[in-house]
Amino acid sequence: MNRIESPAASTANLQLRQVGKPLVRTDSPTKVYGTAVYAGDLTMPGMLCAAVLHSDRASALLRHVDTSRAEALAGVHCVLTAADLPPSQGVMTDMPGQTGGLTKNTKQPILAKDRVRFCGEPIALVAAENAAIAEQALRLIDIEYEDLDGIYDPFDALAPGAPIIFGDDNVVASYKVRKGDIEKGFAEADFIVENTFTTQYQEQAFLEPEAALAWVDEHEVLNIRSSTQVVEHYRAVADAIGLPHNRVRLRAEFVGGGFGGKEVMTIEVWLALLALASRRPVQLVQPRERSFLSHGPRHPFTMTHRTGVSGDGKITALQIKLTSDAGAYAKLSPYILLYATVGATGPYRVDNLHIDSVSAATNNLPACAFRGFGTMQANLACEGQMEEIAKLLGMDSMEVRRRNFIHTGDANVTGQIIRSAVWSDQCATQALATLGERPTDTQTTRIGHGVACYQQSYGRIRWMKDSSEAWVGVEMDGTVIVRSAVTDIGAGQSSALAQITGEILGVPMDQVVVYFGDGAVTPLAGTSTASRALYMSGNATKMAASQVRKNLLSCVAGYFGVKIEQLDMCDSQVFIIDDPQRSIALKDCVKLCAAEGVHRHNLAIFRAPTSEGIDPETGQGEVFPDFTYGAHAAQVAVDIETGEVKVLKSIGAHDVGQAINLRAVEGQVEGSALMGQGFALCEELILKQGRLQTGSLSEYLIPTSEDVPEIKAIVLESRSGLGPFGAKGIGEPVYAPVAASIANAVADAIGVHIFELPITPEKVIKALREKESTK
């Protein structure tokens, strides 16, 4: 891994003893040795097993549901349908998290009542003595449907007279951006380039499917231990089933992969209902085939870019149309569409701009959060269009990019001024250089190089008024505890808090314990989504630890008769900077504070910057706290006889602001490289008339160990971010440009752009034949 620091910040970095170092994460040993506990590992005496009956129709009236045969089966303790839920209950809440938001026109029922709107909609819940009995009970439930005409294409859904899925017009959300004078911009253009790009449904394919255990304890508190990205779902569960918030406790275990698929509430509310009805502990581990139906895949997008450009490569005008398929319920579609709208122009300054974006309801699977959250799809179109502009002009594509890059101090698509560093050029230049020389083509193989740059937000939308709390305390023996309800979804969220705290208090990481993910006993931290965990919980933890440090040093300053500024902390010692021999062990410092009644702990809250929203007519306003910038480069080999694409090298170069743990950063880049490769080349949930055709990992193709290319991470550190020590969010940003870089590399190899993902061998052969026929 290469590392490039900001020259202006290099001296400051020398003061950091733990932050920025590739330390062993606190969660690594348990995961390596197999002792980490996941939700599916949990058991309790008397535990029942749950199963869910999903609709096998995409659009139908639900005339009758007869559960009598299932209820009569020996070993079945509980069968629930919508008829068993009070009229005031039975719907999901709109948005997870602390403050939430509203989606348009819809709330998804917990269980379908009068109508099913997609193939896979949950209809009934069963709790039985074991999983085999629960599965048998599902087969005994009789359902009478009355089929309705369905609609499976978002453009058809938006047409006049289309069947209504919900609301008045099937429009889940829409946005528009109006900036500058677009007619003048197109009039000034020497060329106009127009292309349409499409992306597919993508499944999160996390290693651990949805899993949870629920029970009612002796205090009549409903407990749920779940694989979730959001501890605050305890509120959503309580609201959905009519319990007070303080009667629901949700604890998040280590999550075996989320990628957005465990962001919305699904199985938690099902288990809550079954535990309350049966008065027994109930566990559910969704089978992979049902997991594909439960959480919501990535949105398919159709994106048209019409770009006016001058002869020297400067963009004079840009008109963009974005259409996404929301599926049968809104879920997070309005927010994902907003991210795509803001990310539609990428890291480029466009003064004359029109964007019209819409998300439409269909009878397909409800789409939802996925790593990249709309920006990934938008990036494919933006970066593909930059390549097509360069090809038309006969220019190097990086030169076209350089002439249009946004810079610090410029206004982006919504008029928001970019205040942090924008190192797009540095990142792309480093990534391309690291690809090295292009291998020689053979008779049947063509080699291509591609690059893609991006602008990706981190932190939640500003008008959600986001906040995060953390508690830090020092024990009498000098060991440290951090408490935060942040969920650890595999990226080392809890470990980062230990590293930050260890840096501030001068304590080795192995002396810091982090209690995380418990909605009842740890301060609430908000969601592990939107690349916000380090930014929000990291800042809250740094604030709490800094106050504890201040309290401790005030006692030692009096003890030594010096000023606080003359002291430092390292290796569980407090010492005078100019006379290190004059020191005191941290545990003795704690005793001094205890004797004087000085707090050795602190609860802090970090509040993100806020704004009141965007102008609905112009789309202008501040949407996100800040943005991450970087680039990805790929080298591919294309077999022109079979159409097979093989990625040879995959290089990610990103300004992460400040790496907290270099190993964790490298892991994010490596994981994103392979996940983005799957999006580019092979992964696709295929639906026909709303029915899933690729419903297991036998049909849904993800990259395997044999597909792993040479991957390198280049870490740039501007220390200009809003996170702790100047960090920027990287969980999603490092993923955003991968697929576009591969698509551009394929186009470079075969001389023709494929505008539709995934780029399968069939599409490659078709493009080559069309190219030959055009000649």
Side-chain angles (χ1 to χ4, degrees):
M1 173 169 55
N2 297 333
R3 188 180 191 185
I4 302 170
E5 301 171 356
S6 167
S10 295
T11 303
N13 187 58
L14 296 177
Q15 301 171 5
L16 299 176
R17 300 183 175 95
Q18 296 189 46
V19 165
K21 306 300 188 294
L23 303 181
V24 176
R25 283 172 24 182
T26 57
D27 58 317
S28 293
T30 60
K31 291 177 178 177
V32 169
Y33 295 119
T35 58
V37 176
Y38 295 86
D41 299 325
L42 302 172
T43 61
M44 289 184 72
M47 185 179 77
L48 302 176
C49 293
V52 184
L53 179 65
H54 296 268
S55 166
D56 63 0
R57 311 292 175 90
S59 180
L61 295 178
L62 203 54
R63 289 302 188 190
H64 186 61
V65 180
D66 185 352
T67 62
S68 58
R69 290 198 301 151
E71 292 170 343
L73 181 66
V76 171
H77 284 260
C78 183
V79 181
L80 297 177
T81 69
D84 299 302
L85 305 181
S88 60
Q89 301 170 17
V91 294
M92 301 288 196
T93 54
D94 287 312
M95 177 70 180
Q98 287 180 291
T99 54
L102 294 175
T103 53
K104 181 181 177 182
N105 291 339
T106 180
K107 290 185 178 181
Q108 182 177 350
I110 296 172
L111 298 172
K113 184 176 183 181
D114 301 316
R115 179 181 175 184
V116 293
R117 291 179 170 85
F118 71 97
C119 188
E121 187 158 5
I123 295 175
L125 310 173
V126 172
E129 288 291 338
N130 57 52
I133 295 174
E135 291 296 322
Q136 185 180 355
L138 293 186
R139 294 190 290 271
L140 296 176
I141 298 174
D142 296 314
I143 302 177
E144 180 183 342
Y145 294 102
E146 181 182 328
D147 290 328
L148 299 173
D149 289 337
I151 192 162
Y152 307 103
D153 180 275
F155 293 98
D156 292 341
L158 297 172
I164 298 298
I165 311 301
F166 58 73
D168 302 321
D169 52 10
N170 290 330
V171 174
V172 175
S174 63
Y175 302 100
K176 59 182 178 181
V177 173
R178 300 291 184 266
K179 186 178 179 183
D181 187 338
I182 195 164
E183 296 301 330
K184 180 174 179 290
F186 276 120
E188 294 174 349
D190 295 312
F191 303 95
I192 295 177
V193 182
E194 182 170 344
N195 291 292
T196 297
F197 302 78
T198 62
T199 62
Q200 73 280 29
Y201 284 106
Q202 185 186 17
E203 158 65 26
Q204 290 85 352
F206 28 65
L207 183 62
E208 173 205 33
E210 294 95 328
L213 171 67
W215 73 97
V216 180
D217 66 19
E218 66 275 17
H219 303 295
E220 288 299 308
V221 172
L222 173 65
N223 290 262
I224 306 170
R225 295 179 69 174
S226 175
S227 174
T228 180
Q229 296 178 231
V230 185
V231 167
E232 280 83 351
H233 277 327
Y234 77 86
R235 294 176 178 147
V237 171
D239 290 340
I241 63 178
L243 288 179
H245 288 188
N246 65 353
R247 291 289 176 181
V248 179
R249 178 183 182 181
L250 177 59
R251 177 176 169 180
E253 306 303 321
F254 279 125
V255 177
F259 314 117
K262 296 171 183 174
E263 177 174 342
V264 297
M265 180 178 68
T266 53
I267 67 172
E268 292 87 3
V269 71
W270 299 338
L271 287 173
L273 291 167
L274 290 171
L276 289 169
S278 67
R279 309 301 293 185
R280 294 267 295 271
V282 186
Q283 184 195 55
L284 174 61
V285 179
Q286 275 285 64
R288 181 69 62 181
E289 292 77 9
R290 292 181 192 147
S291 178
F292 273 49
L293 304 174
S294 298
H295 51 264
R298 183 188 297 283
H299 289 71
F301 265 77
T302 299
M303 302 161 287
T304 297
H305 279 232
R306 182 171 180 260
T307 310
V309 60
S310 63
D312 62 357
K314 187 73 172 66
I315 295 173
T316 62
L318 179 56
Q319 184 177 19
I320 300 174
K321 293 182 179 180
L322 306 175
T323 303
S324 77
D325 187 341
Y329 293 100
K331 290 185 178 283
L332 302 181
S333 294
Y335 306 104
I336 293 165
L337 186 68
L338 178 61
Y339 276 69
T341 303
V342 176
T345 60
Y348 307 108
R349 176 171 173 169
V350 181
D351 294 327
N352 303 306
L353 175 67
H354 275 196
I355 301 177
D356 291 283
S357 59
V358 62
S359 187
T362 67
N363 289 111
N364 291 323
L365 281 175
C368 202
F370 197 126
R371 187 182 190 184
F373 211 77
T375 303
M376 179 89 171
Q377 296 95 314
N379 183 261
L380 176 85
C382 175
E383 289 302 291
Q385 186 75 342
M386 297 303 288
E387 292 291 324
E388 290 300 289
I389 290 170
K391 183 168 68 174
L392 174 69
L393 298 177
M395 293 177 60
D396 177 75
S397 65
M398 271 307 302
E399 185 57 34
V400 173
R401 288 180 172 89
R402 290 188 182 103
R403 296 184 182 190
N404 292 283
F405 275 138
I406 197 170
H407 298 100
T408 302
D410 288 345
N412 73 352
V413 55
T414 67
Q416 182 170 342
I417 302 299
I418 305 301
R419 295 182 173 85
S420 64
V422 182
W423 284 6
S424 302
D425 194 355
Q426 296 95 315
C427 291
T429 300
Q430 287 285 330
L432 281 170
T434 306
L435 282 182
E437 293 296 322
R438 184 192 303 253
T440 304
D441 290 342
T442 69
Q443 185 175 355
T444 61
T445 302
R446 302 291 181 265
I447 305 299
H449 282 186
V451 68
C453 304
Y454 71 90
Q455 171 187 274
Q456 171 85 49
S457 64
Y458 62 93
R460 294 178 74 189
I461 297 167
R462 292 169 67 109
W463 52 85
M464 288 184 175
K465 300 179 172 28
D466 201 9
S467 64
S468 181
E469 299 178 29
W471 183 97
V472 173
V474 184
E475 296 296 311
M476 295 302 292
D477 62 354
T479 57
V480 177
I481 292 176
V482 179
R483 291 188 172 94
S484 169
V486 67
T487 50
D488 194 311
I489 60 175
Q493 282 85 357
S494 58
S495 182
L497 303 189
Q499 198 161 352
I500 291 167
T501 303
E503 180 69 56
I504 299 295
L505 297 180
V507 178
M509 274 183 67
D510 61 6
Q511 297 296 303
V512 182
V513 171
V514 180
Y515 293 100
F516 68 91
D518 191 327
V521 300
T522 55
L524 296 182
T527 65
S528 283
T529 65
S531 301
R532 67 173 291 282
L534 175 63
Y535 164 49
M536 297 297 297
S537 295
N539 271 330
T541 300
K542 183 173 182 285
M543 291 170 62
S546 296
Q547 185 59 53
V548 172
R549 175 189 173 99
K550 181 178 179 181
N551 292 351
L552 296 175
L553 293 185
S554 67
C555 287
V556 178
Y559 176 77
F560 282 129
V562 298
K563 296 180 179 179
I564 290 179
E565 294 76 16
Q566 297 175 260
L567 299 172
D568 201 356
M569 307 176 76
C570 181
D571 296 329
S572 296
Q573 299 281 323
V574 183
F575 58 92
I576 298 176
I577 297 172
D578 294 332
D579 188 6
Q581 297 302 316
R582 295 182 66 189
S583 64
I584 181 173
L586 181 59
K587 62 182 180 180
D588 294 326
C589 169
V590 173
K591 293 174 183 176
L592 282 177
C593 290
E596 297 182 16
V598 175
H599 280 302
R600 289 98 57 205
H601 53 79
N602 183 257
L603 173 65
I605 182 169
F606 175 74
R607 298 177 178 86
T610 64
S611 63
E612 296 306 315
I614 56 177
D615 187 298
E617 296 302 317
T618 65
Q620 299 300 286
E622 295 191 332
V623 182
F624 300 109
D626 193 22
F627 299 88
T628 300
Y629 296 87
H632 201 93
Q635 182 185 89
V636 303
V638 182
D639 188 317
I640 59 173
E641 291 185 339
T642 67
E644 180 185 7
V645 178
K646 183 175 181 63
V647 180
L648 304 177
K649 293 183 180 181
S650 196
I651 314 296
H654 309 274
D655 171 24
V656 303
Q658 166 66 57
I660 301 301
N661 189 311
L662 276 175
R663 284 182 179 172
V665 172
E666 186 175 30
Q668 290 283 6
V669 174
E670 291 175 349
S672 70
L674 205 58
M675 180 178 278
Q677 182 176 319
F679 186 49
L681 300 180
C682 59
E683 294 188 41
E684 182 176 16
L685 283 179
I686 299 173
L687 299 175
K688 291 185 178 179
Q689 296 295 101
R691 292 178 180 270
L692 184 59
Q693 307 297 302
T694 50
S696 75
L697 294 180
S698 297
E699 302 90 9
Y700 183 82
L701 303 180
I702 62 174
T704 70
S705 58
E706 294 186 353
D707 301 306
V708 178
E710 177 185 343
I711 302 174
K712 290 186 178 179
I714 302 171
V715 179
L716 290 85
E717 295 175 300
S718 66
R719 300 191 180 89
S720 65
L722 300 182
F725 306 101
K728 292 189 173 189
I730 63 163
E732 292 174 283
V734 295
Y735 180 45
V738 178
S741 73
I742 294 172
N744 290 344
V746 171
D748 180 53
I750 66 175
V752 58
H753 210 108
I754 297 174
F755 297 97
E756 178 185 359
L757 293 189
I759 301 174
T760 61
E762 294 83 357
K763 292 175 185 174
V764 172
I765 294 300
K766 180 182 178 182
L768 287 171
R769 288 174 178 171
E770 290 177 351
K771 175 187 174 185
E772 193 64 28
S773 65
T774 302
K775 280 185 179 179

